[in-house]
Structures are given as C-alpha cells and as structure tokens.
Amino acid sequence: MTIMKSACPSRMIENTVLPVSLADIERAATRIAGRVVRTPLTPSPTLSKRAGQPVHLKLETLQPIGAFKLRGAMNAILSRDNAARRRGLVTASTGNHGRAVAYAARELGVPATICMSSLVPANKVEAIRSLGANIRIVGVSQDDAQDEVERLVQTLDLTPIPPFDDVDVVAGQGTIGLELVEDLPDLATVLVPLSGGGLAGGIAVAAKALKPQARIIGISMERGAAMYAAVAAGKPVAVREEETLADSLGGGIGLSNRVTFALCRALLDDVVLLTEDEIAAGIRHAAREEDQVVEGAGAVGMAAILANKVQLLGPTAVIVSGRNIDPAIHRSLIGRSTR
Ligand SMILES: *Cc1c(COP(=O)(O)O)cnc(C)c1O
C-alpha cells in the first residue's frame, strides 16, 4: 500500500505551502498547556519484541474525556475571540469531539450546543449532556445535525468548532507530535489512527518539521476509509458509511475539505487498512498485554503491528487515541479467546 508515495513525491512537500505550520503547533502547545493532559509515552515490551524495534504507546486515553480530541477543541475555542466564545459554541459530533467541545466549554465557562439526530443512542446523548452542554435533537442523520449547526451559525451567530477540518483544531492535535519528539528523540515511525485527518495531519506537520526522516503511517478500517479513498482518487470523494468496531474513525472528510486533505496527501508516507478481526485483536491485546481499556479507533496502531501490516524502521510511537468503547462490547471482545 504505497498510494501516498506515488500520489505525492517528496519534493512536492517542499514546494507546497501547507495550511498548518510548526509555529502554529508551538503556539497551540503554549495556549493549551495546563488545560489538557501532557500524556506519557510508555514502552510496550510485547509489541517491541514482536516488531523487533522499540515500540512506545502514546496514551491519549488519559485525557479527561478519554480521547485526544480535547487538544484540538481546546485550542480552537481559545483561538476564537472573546465575543465569539461568549455567543456560544456549536458542533454536531456525538462522539469524542462532542465530548471535547462540551468539556472545554464548561472549563472555560462558555455555553456549548451539540446538535445530534434522533437516532443517536441515549447513552451517548447523556454522556454529552452530563458535561453541561445544551443538546439539540434534529432530524434523522448526521447530515441533518450538521445542517442545524449551519442554521444556528446563520441565525444566532453561534461559533462553530469543526471536528477536524480547521487550522486551530489541527494545530491542537499536532501538539502530540511535539511531545513525541521530546520524549523519543530518535523517533523513526509514528502509527496514527486516521479518519478526518486532523490527528494525523497535525502530528505529521510537527514530527516532520523536527525529524524530517520520520515516517507517519495512517491506519484506518477497511469499512469506509474516507481519507484513504480521497488520497487514492486525488480529491475528496463520498464513501459509504459502514458499521465498524473503530466507530470513531467513521464518516467522510467533507467534499469541500480545506485543510486536512492537503496535509494528509502531502505528509503521510502510507495508509494501512485493517479488517474488523484485526481491530478486535488490537482491543484484546491492549486489555490483556498492556492493561489498557482502548476503543477500536484507539487500538488500530497496535492492531497493525499484530497483523504484520506495517514495517517498522527504528523507534516507533503508536498513538492510542481513545478509550470510549461501549463496556458491553469491550467485555464480549476480551472474553473471547480466539484472535
Ligand atoms: C476522532 C478520532 C480519531 C481520528 O481523528 P481524525 O482527526 O478525525 O483523523 C481517532 N481516534 C479517536 C479515538 C477519535 O475520537
């Protein structure tokens, strides 16, 4: 799977002005310091043995909302002006981004409205309501919820905080890249869960600016890998959404993507796709060998190593991006002895 290299020879990187810079990410790190957790990078003896290279886990599961998305949301909210913040924030995510916006808004003492469709399960609605956000239930799809966000921006002048396609969100996620290089100065490879590309794009900007030889590999599921399809097609394309254990990696990148497609196309060295069984094996490995409860999206880096789908050259960081998995699904996965 080398679509990236043929799609973008490395000389193109130098000639293209990318929408997010190392300086943007360094400013984000200063802005969010003390408001997000500076997470540890811990060695994994079992994965190191398996890969024949030192493998370390970046535990974003330790963020207060259980996922890295707090970094981008916090940076974006703090980057909007005071008046825009006080008018109120709005977004449509029911998952980790919704939690992140709700949590950050509460911390900063500003109102947040999270739009969601009537099909969103009650436990997800409650998780976000309990963080203090206003919930607005409209329509029967994620698109309907997004339409409501745009309506509230138009009519009430609320301030939208997008889940990934936003310079400040990407810069916030990129602070992970600064920490990786600090903690692992001879960083050679980073395995990053890939959906809209805010996480992978931000980390790639920071890591490659500081360690130009570092390889950044995006990992998605076979079922509905939107950024993979976009890079292969040379432009954002619609992808059918399917159910997957890596539910936080579902959804499109937006047909009029402005930021993350350019970053991923220019900076990712490869994208690897995983089957549902491979993702399940990653979740099980995390629970049994690493003593970590990890959601499907957070387990794909470990899963890619276990499935022998990535070649690691030198010290490797695996981004363990989140832990918010339905407890019943987690129990049923780790109870099973097959792999
Ligand atoms: C959102 C998310 C991702 C993917 O991040 P993108 O910036 O959309 O690529 C990965 N893991 C978890 C747990 C997430 O919530």
Side-chain angles (χ1 to χ4, degrees):
M1 279 190 233
T2 50
I3 52 164
M4 297 297 171
K5 281 171 197 137
S6 49
C8 181
S10 59
R11 77 191 117 78
M12 265 181 68
I13 296 173
E14 285 137 41
N15 296 341
T16 311
V17 179
L18 294 173
V20 178
S21 69
L22 176 63
D24 293 329
I25 297 172
E26 287 170 335
R27 275 192 295 272
T30 305
R31 208 177 277 124
I32 67 178
R35 298 191 184 274
V36 307
V37 175
R38 201 299 187 188
T39 56
L41 187 67
T42 66
S44 166
T46 53
L47 289 176
S48 300
K49 193 157 168 237
R50 181 116 189 175
Q53 299 287 352
V55 174
H56 302 258
L57 306 179
K58 181 67 168 166
L59 295 179
E60 289 298 305
T61 47
L62 297 176
Q63 296 294 349
I65 60 149
F68 73 93
K69 284 219 171 60
L70 190 56
R71 294 175 185 259
M74 189 66 84
N75 187 51
I77 295 168
L78 289 170
S79 300
R80 305 310 195 243
D81 67 42
N82 251 327
R85 268 208 297 270
R86 263 188 261 110
R87 283 197 302 275
L89 313 167
V90 64
T91 196
S93 161
T94 62
N96 290 328
H97 177 66
R99 290 182 196 226
V101 170
Y103 179 94
R106 190 179 62 183
E107 288 292 298
L108 299 171
V110 295
T113 300
I114 316 291
C115 303
M116 43 184 95
S117 89
S118 59
L119 299 184
V120 173
N123 61 330
K124 282 195 157 186
V125 179
E126 283 322 306
I128 290 175
R129 199 195 304 275
S130 70
L131 289 169
N134 306 312
I135 307 291
R136 217 174 154 84
I137 310 257
V138 274
V140 290
S141 70
Q142 180 62 18
D143 285 349
D144 292 342
Q146 187 54 43
D147 288 347
E148 179 67 4
V149 169
E150 270 135 46
R151 204 185 62 79
L152 293 175
V153 170
Q154 294 303 320
T155 56
L156 301 181
D157 207 13
L158 296 190
T159 301
I161 305 292
F164 52 85
D165 199 28
D166 177 280
V167 167
D168 299 312
V169 170
V170 172
Q173 323 302 28
T175 58
I176 293 172
L178 301 181
E179 295 172 14
L180 294 181
V181 176
E182 242 171 67
D183 290 352
L184 195 61
D186 50 354
L187 179 71
T189 306
V190 188
L191 304 184
V192 193
L194 175 64
S195 177
L199 179 63
I203 289 175
V205 169
K208 291 203 169 194
L210 299 168
K211 305 287 301 179
Q213 303 309 318
R215 292 157 66 243
I216 314 295
I217 300 177
I219 325 266
S220 299
M221 62 293 173
E222 286 184 354
R223 296 179 143 209
M227 187 60 82
Y228 176 90
V231 172
K235 61 171 196 292
V237 288
V239 168
R240 195 163 65 93
E241 251 193 83
E242 296 177 73
E243 224 175 283
T244 168
L245 274 174
D247 55 326
S248 292
L249 301 184
I253 68 163
L255 292 180
S256 46
N257 186 291
R258 295 173 307 114
V259 178
T260 58
F261 173 64
L263 291 176
C264 289
R265 176 158 72 166
L267 299 178
L268 296 192
D269 293 277
D270 203 353
V271 177
V272 168
L273 303 184
L274 300 180
T275 66
E276 294 300 299
D277 282 349
E278 287 165 347
I279 297 167
I283 296 171
R284 268 196 295 277
H285 170 88
R288 291 177 181 169
E289 305 290 336
E290 314 288 351
D291 212 11
Q292 298 286 332
V293 174
V294 174
E295 62 177 281
V300 295
M302 291 179 274
I305 294 175
L306 295 171
N308 286 315
K309 283 190 166 172
V310 282
Q311 204 203 349
L312 304 185
L313 311 166
T316 296
V318 175
I319 310 300
V320 183
S321 54
R323 62 152 195 247
N324 294 319
I325 186 169
D326 181 328
I329 293 177
H330 192 256
R331 266 194 306 277
S332 79
L333 284 172
I334 60 173
R336 217 181 297 157
S337 63
T338 56
R339 54 158 309 225

